[in-house]
Each structure stands twice: as structure tokens, then as C-alpha cells.
Amino acid sequence: MLFSELAKRVAEKYPEVKTVYPMDCELSNVELYDPSGAVPPVDTLGIYTARQIGQDMTLPLCFVCAGTPDQAAHDKIAYSDSNYIIIPQVSVVDVVYYIMSLFGDSFKQQKLYSNLIYMLLNGADLTSVFCEFSKGTGSQLLAIDISGKVLAYSKPFMVNHPHWIHSIEVGYLDNYLIEYILSYRVKHKMDMSPNTFVLFCNRLQMYIKVIRVIADNEIIGYVFMGNYTGEFPWFSDKLMHLLAKNLHSTLLGSRSYSTYRFNMHQSVLSDIIDGASEEETIQRINAAKLTFPPNMRAVVLKPSYFRGNEYLYDVLTPRVAEILPASPRVYKKNAIVTFVGVDNAGALPEETRTAIETLAADGQILVGVSNLFHKPSKLYVYYQQALQAMSFSRRLSNTGGVFFFSDYAFYIMLDRMEDTPLLEQCRHPVLASLEAYDADKNTELYETLKIYTKTGFSKNRTAELMFMHRNTVNYRIQQIENLFSVDFSDPSLLFKLQYSFCIDAFLKNRYSDLAVLPKKPEGE
């Protein structure tokens, strides 16, 4: 405990005492005067009665005079250059007892402070540090980021206010508290200081010591320490500075590729992926003033085979950062999750799409891409889409490529159906007839109809894909019409055949049949 802190606390409780401290210093012990002993060392507070202070004695650097000194003792004290407290005779018993009790607490707090420093140095999580502090002092601790996310708090968290209790339970501060915190500095015209300050909250009827976590002249988080007495441990300022430093490192991240705001995007994105509620997501985005593209697609990138976290962090991540420098990204299940801004129709910028396709092909990376969406709070749904598209692509035996959910949505839907007999009944009956005919006659009518259907009943495109003359295709189509009474002039037939071939391939695990047809070369 600093002598100045001791003097202030004693003077606040007992205004009649006199305190002087020309040379402030840290105190770690207290001793009653012993005429046969040595002068107390500089870190020890000596307690003397007024009669014990004589002209020929050496006064320590820090001492207490219990009782009103006579003129000679008074002069000696005044010219000693020591730090001292003079207690009037009428208050001696109470004040000395109070000082001794303070030092009794101080020794306990010194041990507590040492334990807390040890925990921080050994990488203990902040919640454990906060709980240890609260257990030893009775004060509460809470840390949040600028979006209102609760990062750590002491347990049990005892605050007589429903908004605070609810916030701790759900893991983020509601709008009421966020607005109160953000407006306090403006309302009281406070500067952007990194130092601690104490306020009294009328709503909580609690004294709160606060320190802001600041990066690049921007507040990125807070640590709050509260109790109902206003008496904080002597080391509270030092501890809060250490906690703010720890929180600063946590919020910026050890793998920061940009600014704190970029990391804040990543934090919100990570929480969305982990299932944060839409209400929480919207509130945090608004509180942190984060912006997102008006049109987005979720993207999941994953190596086609496991290569370890070092490859994910040190090789794949930098390449993704080059392609999507403004898009935050998080790691989930050995994959990178991000999003990309697109146009109103959902089309990726051509340069971006080409770069992603090149990355997928060169690095044997599977890339799942969701449908178009607009609200970042809905990202979890579209992350699942991208994940499903990427996962389903594995059934196609792909080692790399870009897979859009819209291309595989029908198959994913089939995959979730448990009524297999119903699926079999949904196929157009001509498929089974064609397969039986092909087996008996050694023909390829089934395959021809499948390609013909995939091309939208284009005979020219079917001939190209099957490497046949167009007349051969005409003949086979005519055969199908004549043998099985198929009317290709029926406009609804195309859709029926399309979903029938999809169901047929799905049921037979012929996933190669589900692959998207190659694009027709431009100009043809």
C-alpha cells in the first residue's frame, strides 16, 4: 500500500488527523515502536506515541504519531522530511486500530495480487482471474467488447438490476446498457483516457471503477470493477491496467491480418457460425457500427484431405486474404468460413470467381458457395448451405472445385428424405422401361434420353456430348417416342424427366450423374 493511499483513507474516515507525505513510498509492513530495536526500514510504517518521540532519536521514513506531540516533538517531526500521520489524543485508539486493520487486509491483498499476477502470466482465462479476485475482495469484475459481448465476468455475478443479470445470462449487453455506456463519456465530456476512473451508478447503487481498452484511438472494450462501498483494493488500478492489456491482446488477436474493426467483424462472424441469436447479432453489429455488403454469399473453403492447422493458417488463409482482402474469416471444422460481396443477381465479380476457381483447382480445395442473402444476421443459414454444397461435392469424388448450393439443392433435399419407396415411385416409368430395353437389346436409349433431358431437349448439344452424329440422336429419340409413347411436345415432360433422372441417379449412388454439365463454348 502506498503511504499516500493510507493517509487519504485515514483522513477520509477521521478528518481530525494531520497527514504529510513529501516522499511517497510503498508500505508492506507495520511495527510498533521498540526502543531497543533498529529504526524501521523504508517499507515499514512505525507507530509511536507522542511521548516516545525524543530529540535524540532517528525517525523512520514513514511513521504515525499517536497523540498530540509537545512543541519539541512537533518541531522534530516537522523538520524530519518523513511521511507522517499525527492522531489527536482523543482518537488514538480508534485510528490506530483502523490502521492496523488496513494493514491486515493489505497483507491478504498482497498475496491475492501476487496470485492474480501469477494466473495472468500463466495464461489463465479472464473468467478464472475475475472469480479469484471477487472471492478475495467481494468486488465484481466484468469485461465486454465494444459490441457488448460479455467476454468474462466474476461468478457469482451479484448485481441488483435485471438488465445486467439478463446480459450476463445471454452473453451480451442489451441496447439499454450499451446506450448508457456509450453515452456516458459524451454526457460527462470525458476525454479518451486509458486511465481508470470511478463513477457512482444510481441505477445500480454501486461504485464502479472503469478502464477503457483502446486501440488506434478507438475504444474497443471495457473492464468494470464494482462494489457497494466504494473501497477498492490498493492494487485495483494496477490490476485493471493489466486486465486491459490482456483484453487488448485478446481482441486484436495473435493472427490479426488487419485492424481491430476487421477483427470485430471476425468475432461477430464466429459467433453467428456458433449459433448466436439473430437479436444478439443485430444488436452487436449496430453497437460496433459494423458494415456489410448489401448482397452476399457465404463461402466455405476446405482442403480435400487433411493437411494440418499450419497449412490452414499459414498457406490457405493468406491466399484467401489475397482474393477476399475485405472479407472477415473464421476457422470452423478445419475449414475457412467467409463471405463475398456479389451483385444484385448474386453473381460473383468475374476476377474473384476466377481466382477462387484457380485456388480450388491448384490447391485441391473444395469450395462451397451459398445462395444470395442480404442480412448478416442470417449468415448461419447460408453458412449451412455452403457447407452442405461442399460436403455433397465429396460424393462426386472431387478433389477440388467450386460448388454452388443452388446446383445441388435438389439432391440435398433428396438426401433428407427417409421414404425411399416414395422416391422410387416418383420417377417417370419410362426410365425403368428404357433400362430393361437397353439390357435386352444392347442399346443406349437410357443414356441418350438422360443427356437429351439435361441439355433441355437439344439434339445438337446431345450429339456433341455423346460424340455422335446428330442423325443418330434423331433416330434414338424417334425410337423412344415410338416404343414407349413418349410425347416430347408436352411442355411438362422436360421437368418430369429432369427430376426423375436426378432421383434415379441419387437412389443408385451414381453421383457422377449429378455433376453439372460442362458449359458450351462461347460463340457456339
Side-chain angles (χ1 to χ4, degrees), residues 141-144 150-159 162-174 177:
L141 271 173
L142 169 69
I144 64 170
V150 176
L151 303 173
Y153 63 94
S154 53
K155 301 175 184 179
F157 195 77
M158 307 296 292
V159 176
H163 284 95
W164 282 103
I165 295 299
H166 175 72
S167 295
I168 294 302
E169 290 175 350
V170 300
Y172 67 97
L173 273 59
D174 63 18
L177 294 177

Side-chain angles (χ1 to χ4, degrees), residues 132-204:
E132 183 72 12
F133 172 84
S134 181
K135 185 173 66 175
T137 65
S139 295
Q140 309 287 317
L141 271 173
L142 169 69
I144 64 170
D145 66 21
I146 194 61
S147 75
K149 180 180 180 180
V150 176
L151 303 173
Y153 63 94
S154 53
K155 301 175 184 179
F157 195 77
M158 307 296 292
V159 176
N160 187 27
H161 198 284
H163 284 95
W164 282 103
I165 295 299
H166 175 72
S167 295
I168 294 302
E169 290 175 350
V170 300
Y172 67 97
L173 273 59
D174 63 18
N175 285 326
Y176 171 84
L177 294 177
I178 285 292
E179 288 302 320
Y180 175 76
I181 292 170
L182 296 179
S183 64
Y184 191 90
R185 185 170 61 89
V186 176
K187 181 179 179 181
H188 295 274
K189 299 179 180 179
M190 301 175 72
D191 60 5
M192 185 81 75
S193 170
N195 296 321
T196 61
F197 60 93
V198 177
L199 56 90
F200 181 76
C201 180
N202 288 317
R203 291 180 175 86
L204 298 174

Side-chain angles (χ1 to χ4, degrees), residues 127-325:
T127 292
S128 298
V129 175
F130 285 11
C131 291
E132 183 72 12
F133 172 84
S134 181
K135 185 173 66 175
T137 65
S139 295
Q140 309 287 317
L141 271 173
L142 169 69
I144 64 170
D145 66 21
I146 194 61
S147 75
K149 180 180 180 180
V150 176
L151 303 173
Y153 63 94
S154 53
K155 301 175 184 179
F157 195 77
M158 307 296 292
V159 176
N160 187 27
H161 198 284
H163 284 95
W164 282 103
I165 295 299
H166 175 72
S167 295
I168 294 302
E169 290 175 350
V170 300
Y172 67 97
L173 273 59
D174 63 18
N175 285 326
Y176 171 84
L177 294 177
I178 285 292
E179 288 302 320
Y180 175 76
I181 292 170
L182 296 179
S183 64
Y184 191 90
R185 185 170 61 89
V186 176
K187 181 179 179 181
H188 295 274
K189 299 179 180 179
M190 301 175 72
D191 60 5
M192 185 81 75
S193 170
N195 296 321
T196 61
F197 60 93
V198 177
L199 56 90
F200 181 76
C201 180
N202 288 317
R203 291 180 175 86
L204 298 174
Q205 287 296 296
M206 176 179 277
Y207 293 91
I208 301 176
K209 181 172 283 194
V210 184
I211 191 167
R212 305 183 187 97
V213 184
I214 299 174
D216 297 326
N217 203 35
E218 181 179 10
I219 297 174
I220 64 175
Y222 294 90
V223 180
F224 303 102
M225 180 185 294
N227 61 43
Y228 294 102
T229 65
E231 295 185 2
F232 296 97
W234 62 267
F235 61 84
S236 59
D237 283 0
K238 295 179 180 179
L239 177 64
M240 291 192 77
H241 279 285
L242 290 174
L243 295 176
K245 185 177 180 180
N246 182 289
L247 202 61
H248 182 279
S249 299
T250 300
L251 291 174
L252 288 183
S254 60
R255 292 183 178 273
S256 172
Y257 295 101
S258 185
T259 63
Y260 165 73
R261 192 151 293 278
F262 185 86
N263 288 327
M264 190 75 254
H265 271 90
Q266 294 194 155
S267 173
V268 171
L269 177 62
S270 178
D271 289 343
I272 294 173
I273 298 305
D274 287 336
S277 69
E278 186 171 354
E279 177 188 5
E280 175 187 352
T281 301
I282 292 172
Q283 181 171 304
R284 291 187 60 205
I285 289 172
N286 292 337
K289 297 180 174 60
L290 301 178
T291 58
F292 290 81
N295 307 298
M296 295 172 280
R297 286 181 184 265
V299 180
V300 178
L301 304 98
K302 186 174 185 177
S304 57
Y305 59 93
F306 182 71
R307 303 185 211 179
N309 289 333
E310 288 187 1
Y311 175 82
L312 193 67
Y313 295 136
D314 301 331
V315 178
L316 185 56
T317 293
R319 292 197 62 181
V320 174
E322 290 177 5
I323 299 171
L324 304 170

Side-chain angles (χ1 to χ4, degrees), residues 44 157 374 441:
T44 299
F157 195 77
H374 311 286
K441 305 295 183 179

